[in-house]
């Protein structure tokens, strides 16, 4: 049992990752009514970009994070402008499945299929009561908390954030108030991919990089927002940490092979009994 | 006999002659083992796609667990043959039925949800099935898979020659085609299409939408199940990586490219994704990329896929001819 705090800490790290992804996914759904199955593909692409920047260009990790995140956001903006805006809303989900294939193949062609170990200079250890973690992991936790607070404040306090909330509540009414719905969906998608790209360059180094690394995360992020309630940022954050901790504790105490099942079992129970999630509006 | 029925009969005669002739022609070509293998894979994916078209295309259910039913057919039939020495054709039936049972297990709870929620829960179920296949080592062989699956035989003819597989799969594909066509053109099929085009409206006209959705889902599962039972002896080896979400996306993109909602779409789609890498050898590394881009483009600009385009052209041609006749 003395390992339990360590498992919980690993769960919090996973949860931080899920939270960064789920917030963006939730925004995209609220504004565009799109379940973006390709969401974590930008996570994967920017993890690779961050690796390549450090290896071939600038070996400063912080600069690489910033560059990869910005590149991911620009890519997201382009995808919204070039592809998604031309499609009908009911087709967006199937289109995102096509984008999954495209993103994975692009990564496969550029970086090849072999798993790449991506190490950063942040290898020192931080002790924290009964748990020990690397600086990289501590950075993930801290950045996630800062970003979560920033996103929550953005929607509560800024004019632009409020306009986005208004669009998600009632698009027609928002447009009558002079809010440009196109700008809002562009912003929602770009901010979402920016968060995914940030997560990729921060969490990517904790695992090895493969072109297929995005898909399981997309699935988990979907489970998280359904658990927390689709459209609720707070619900997404709470759901992310809950599922992260449950998975990690189950993997540690019971069986690591079957721990991926935890999320699916939660999803199936949730959709069967309370489809709107913990904090979702009916 | 009127002109149009004559044309139809002629069309079927040509089609049957073609289906009989193709394997005979391949049998006389160099590299025939490989060509037969490609043809058989294309036929399996056609059968799988026709079942998928029933739920995805005609009933409008974006089911992403279709591949799980395919895997159930493959695993159950193989395990019965290898461990329990059951006759292949009996285990073939058992595989198809087990897929229906799995389909009921997945479909009945999932079909309470609509639209994208339905897709997401089917992804979750498909992942559960995949994880079970990977980790339940004593039954499925885990990541090692099941090896040395025996060849099949029918009426004392063994299937050492791949040409026999080709004929068997052609017969199965034709039967599946007829099954799907008969179902879609019946009263049941009209209910499917009504559900796709507007579930609420269908409900108010007295269609029991839940029941018809389940019928569609289970029929699709049944077809996927026997496709799986045919796949295993052809490959002689199955493992969980044959049944991933990636393969599911491949099946989906084949259907979208070939043309969902048309009877020929899944066949054209399967031939397209199998034949394309053989024709465009220099582009082989980019094949999936091309497939993904095509899928996105087709959904946005050309929702009918290849067959939708063909029908549009045919309609345009007919209109032009009848307009020309009127002018005379």
């Amino acid at each position: 049992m003395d390992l339990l705090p360590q498992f919980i800490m690993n769960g919090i790290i996973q949860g931080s990752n899920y939270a960064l992804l789920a917030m963006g996914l939730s925004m995209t759904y609220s504004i565009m009514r799109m379940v973006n199955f390709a969401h974590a593909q930008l996570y994967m692409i920017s993890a690779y970009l961050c690796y390549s920047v450090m290896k071939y260009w600038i070996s400063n990790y912080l600069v690489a994070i910033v560059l990869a995140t910005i590149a991911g956001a620009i890519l997201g903006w382009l995808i919204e402008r070039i592809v998604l805006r031309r499609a009908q809303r009911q087709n967006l989900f199937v289109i995102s499945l096509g984008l999954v294939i495209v993103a994975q193949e692009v990564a496969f062609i550029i970086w090849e299929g072999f798993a790449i170990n991506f190490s950063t200079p942040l290898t020192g250890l931080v002790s924290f009561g009964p748990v020990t973690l690397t600086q990289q992991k501590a950075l993930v936790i801290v950045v996630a908390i800062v970003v979560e607070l920033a996103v929550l404040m953005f929607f509560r306090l800024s004019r632009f954030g409020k306009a986005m909330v208004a669009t998600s509540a009632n698009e027609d009414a928002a447009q009558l108030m002079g809010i440009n719905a196109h700008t809002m969906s562009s912003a929602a998608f770009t901010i979402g991919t920016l968060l995914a790209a940030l997560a990729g360059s921060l969490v990517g180094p904790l695992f090895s990089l493969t072109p297929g690394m995005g898909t399981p995360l997309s699935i988990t992020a979907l489970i998280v927002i359904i658990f927390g309630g689709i459209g609720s940022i707070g619900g997404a954050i709470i759901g992310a940490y809950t599922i992260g901790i449950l998975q990690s504790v189950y993997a540690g105490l019971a069986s690591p092979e079957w721990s991926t099942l935890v999320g699916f079992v939660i999803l199936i129970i949730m959709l069967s009994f309370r489809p709107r999630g913990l904090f979702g509006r009916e | 006999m009127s002109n149009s029925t004559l044309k139809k009969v002629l069309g079927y005669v040509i089609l049957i002659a073609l289906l009989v002739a193709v394997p005979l022609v391949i049998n006389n070509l160099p590299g025939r083992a490989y060509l037969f293998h490609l043809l058989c894979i294309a036929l399996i994916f056609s059968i799988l796609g026709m079942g998928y078209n029933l739920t995805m295309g005609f009933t409008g259910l974006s089911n992403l667990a279709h591949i799980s039913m395919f895997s159930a057919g493959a695993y159950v039939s193989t395990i019965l043959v290898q461990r329990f020495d059951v006759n292949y054709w009996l285990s073939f039936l058992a595989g198809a039925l087990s897929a229906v049972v799995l389909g009921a297990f997945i479909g009945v709870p999932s079909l309470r949800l609509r639209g994208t929620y339905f897709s997401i829960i089917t992804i979750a179920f498909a992942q559960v099935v995949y994880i079970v296949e990977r980790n339940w080592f004593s039954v499925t062989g885990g990541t090692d898979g099941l090896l040395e699956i025996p060849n099949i035989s029918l009426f004392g003819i063994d299937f050492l020659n791949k040409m026999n597989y080709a004929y068997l799969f052609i017969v199965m594909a034709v039967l599946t085609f007829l099954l799907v066509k008969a179902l879609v053109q019946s009263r049941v099929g009209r209910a499917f299409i009504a559900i796709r085009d507007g579930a609420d409206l269908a409900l108010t006209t007295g269609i029991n939408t839940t029941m018809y959705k389940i019928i569609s889902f289970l029929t699709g599962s049944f077809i996927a199940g026997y496709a799986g039972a045919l796949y295993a002896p052809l490959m002689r080896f199955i493992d969980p990586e044959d049944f991933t979400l990636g393969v599911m996306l491949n099946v989906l993109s084949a259907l979208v490219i070939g043309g969902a909602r048309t009877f020929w779409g899944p066949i054209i789609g399967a031939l397209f994704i199998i034949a394309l890498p053989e024709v465009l050898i220099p582009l082989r590394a980019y094949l999936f990329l091309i497939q993904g881009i095509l899928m996105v483009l087709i959904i946005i600009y050309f929702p009918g896929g290849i067959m939708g385009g063909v029908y549009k052209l045919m309609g345009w041609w007919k209109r032009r001819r009848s307009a020309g006749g009127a002018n005379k």
Side-chain angles (χ1 to χ4, degrees):
Chain A
M1 268 302 141
D2 36 326
L3 279 175
L4 189 62
Q6 188 70 50
F7 294 147
I8 292 177
M9 186 47 91
N10 288 342
I12 291 174
I13 294 160
Q14 283 285 8
S16 310
N17 187 16
Y18 297 159
L20 288 174
L21 287 166
M23 285 190 293
L25 201 58
S26 186
M27 276 180 228
T28 327
Y29 182 82
S30 312
I31 311 279
M32 303 167 72
R33 294 281 176 268
M34 172 193 191
V35 175
N36 180 14
F37 200 70
H39 190 64
Q41 300 305 319
L42 259 305
Y43 165 100
M44 179 267 294
I45 296 273
S46 83
Y48 271 117
L49 283 177
C50 190
Y51 161 81
S52 287
V53 166
M54 274 185 74
K55 189 166 179 198
Y56 298 109
W57 193 19
I58 304 163
S59 56
N60 184 329
Y61 181 48
L62 288 178
V63 176
I65 292 178
V66 172
L67 286 178
T69 308
I70 292 173
I74 292 173
L75 214 55
W77 181 72
L78 287 175
I79 290 171
E80 201 276 338
R81 287 305 290 259
I82 295 173
V83 181
L84 303 179
R85 192 168 287 182
R86 292 165 204 268
Q88 288 177 302
R89 275 199 171 162
Q90 73 265 26
N91 290 336
L92 285 175
F93 175 68
V94 184
I95 287 178
S96 77
L97 295 176
L99 291 176
V100 170
I101 303 178
V102 173
Q104 283 190 3
E105 285 310 306
V106 167
F108 199 84
I109 290 164
I110 299 178
W111 289 284
E112 298 174 333
F114 310 111
I116 294 174
N117 270 320
F118 174 15
S119 48
T120 64
L122 302 174
T123 46
L125 294 177
V126 185
S127 271
F128 206 59
V131 294
T132 308
L133 58 166
T134 60
Q135 287 172 342
Q136 180 75 32
K137 291 179 175 174
L139 179 71
V140 170
I141 295 176
V142 172
V143 171
I145 291 172
V146 172
V147 171
E148 283 152 16
L149 291 176
V151 170
L152 286 172
M153 302 260 278
F154 171 72
F155 284 113
R156 294 268 188 299
L157 303 179
S158 78
R159 217 178 134 74
F160 200 83
K162 284 181 191 166
M164 283 173 79
V165 175
T167 313
S168 81
N170 187 333
E171 194 180 322
D172 295 331
Q175 277 183 305
L176 288 174
M177 296 298 124
I179 295 170
N180 184 340
H182 278 318
T183 314
M184 291 303 132
S185 44
S186 211
F189 199 82
T190 312
I191 296 173
T193 47
L194 183 128
L195 295 181
L198 178 65
S201 38
L202 283 172
V203 185
L206 297 181
F207 308 97
S208 53
L209 309 183
T210 60
M213 70 198 268
T215 307
L217 279 169
S218 280
I219 298 175
T220 313
L222 278 175
I223 294 174
V224 164
I225 66 168
I226 289 172
F227 179 74
I230 279 192
S232 157
I233 298 286
I237 296 170
I238 292 170
Y241 289 108
T242 313
I243 289 180
I245 291 172
L246 282 175
Q247 275 183 347
S248 156
V249 169
Y250 186 85
L253 297 183
S255 130
E257 291 95 38
W258 297 94
S259 71
T260 26
L261 272 186
V262 172
F264 299 122
V265 172
I266 291 175
L267 174 75
I268 290 164
I269 292 172
M270 209 65 194
L271 282 181
S272 306
F273 295 106
R274 196 182 158 87
R276 67 193 165 103
L278 285 185
F279 301 97
R281 289 181 300 253
E282 192 61 46
Chain B
M1 208 185 281
S2 77
N3 200 8
S4 69
T5 32
L6 191 72
K7 261 187 191 166
K8 243 182 194 167
V9 170
L10 200 68
Y12 282 121
V13 170
I14 293 175
L15 188 64
I16 291 169
L18 209 66
L19 290 178
V20 175
V22 163
L24 287 176
V25 170
I26 290 180
N27 203 22
N28 291 312
L29 291 177
R32 59 182 187 166
Y34 182 60
L35 287 174
F36 273 130
H37 188 76
L38 286 180
L39 177 67
C40 290
I41 297 279
L43 286 164
I44 292 268
F45 274 91
S46 308
I47 296 174
L48 191 61
M50 284 189 263
Y52 193 45
N53 197 19
L54 201 60
T55 50
M56 168 87 191
F58 291 112
T59 323
L61 305 168
S62 307
N63 160 26
L64 292 167
H66 196 64
I67 201 79
S68 308
M69 274 63 97
F70 182 59
S71 74
Y75 271 106
V76 169
S77 67
T78 306
I79 289 167
L80 285 177
V81 167
Q82 284 191 330
R83 301 260 164 81
F84 301 97
D85 250 348
V86 180
N87 176 288
Y88 171 75
W89 297 100
L90 274 179
S91 51
F92 169 86
L93 268 184
L97 291 179
S98 71
V100 175
V101 173
L102 182 68
F105 185 74
I106 294 178
V108 172
S110 308
L111 286 167
R112 291 172 49 199
L113 302 165
R114 279 185 167 196
T116 316
Y117 280 94
F118 170 77
S119 305
I120 294 168
I121 199 169
T122 54
I123 293 179
F125 273 116
Q127 292 300 306
V128 171
V129 171
Y130 170 71
I131 293 167
V132 169
E133 282 163 0
R134 261 182 83 98
N135 291 322
W136 197 11
F137 193 84
S138 59
V139 173
T140 64
T143 45
D144 296 346
L146 296 172
L147 306 164
E148 292 172 1
I149 299 169
N151 245 316
I152 55 185
S153 67
L154 182 64
F155 308 129
I157 309 164
D158 61 30
F159 279 48
L160 287 173
N161 185 348
K162 289 263 181 184
M163 187 166 75
N164 295 343
Y165 274 107
Y167 277 120
L168 172 68
F169 290 0
I170 285 174
V171 170
M172 291 309 295
V174 169
L175 289 178
T176 311
F177 185 88
L178 295 175
L179 170 70
V180 170
K181 193 162 182 179
L183 193 62
V184 170
Q185 287 177 343
S186 71
R187 196 186 152 78
V188 179
R190 285 198 296 277
F192 291 171
I193 292 170
I195 290 168
R196 177 190 78 199
D197 293 342
D200 291 321
L201 188 65
L203 198 63
T204 56
T205 54
I207 295 172
N208 183 345
T209 53
T210 316
M211 190 184 78
Y212 283 108
K213 279 183 189 172
I214 290 174
I215 292 177
S216 164
F217 196 91
L218 293 188
T219 317
S221 306
F222 179 70
I223 295 173
Y226 65 67
L230 293 172
Y231 179 75
L234 174 76
M235 301 304 288
R236 313 292 305 273
F237 160 72
I238 50 171
D239 77 353
E241 298 312 305
D242 294 344
F243 312 109
T244 57
L245 186 63
V247 181
M248 183 71 244
L249 292 184
N250 208 353
V251 172
L252 172 66
S253 71
L255 180 62
V256 168
I257 291 171
R261 308 175 177 193
T262 63
F263 293 115
W264 286 94
I267 301 167
I268 301 296
L271 288 175
F272 185 85
I273 63 163
I274 303 294
L276 199 66
E278 306 307 320
V279 183
L280 298 175
I281 292 169
L283 290 180
R284 205 179 268 186
Y286 305 100
L287 185 79
F288 279 124
L289 182 63
I290 296 170
Q291 215 174 306
I293 293 173
L294 264 182
M295 176 176 162
V296 172
L297 288 179
I298 282 179
I299 295 170
I300 297 178
Y301 295 108
F302 216 72
I306 294 175
M307 281 318 286
V310 169
Y311 287 132
K312 244 186 200 160
L313 271 179
M314 273 161 65
W316 175 79
W317 178 244
K318 264 185 194 158
R319 269 199 310 282
R320 222 186 87 137
R321 270 180 50 183
S322 61
N327 285 341
K328 270 179 206 165

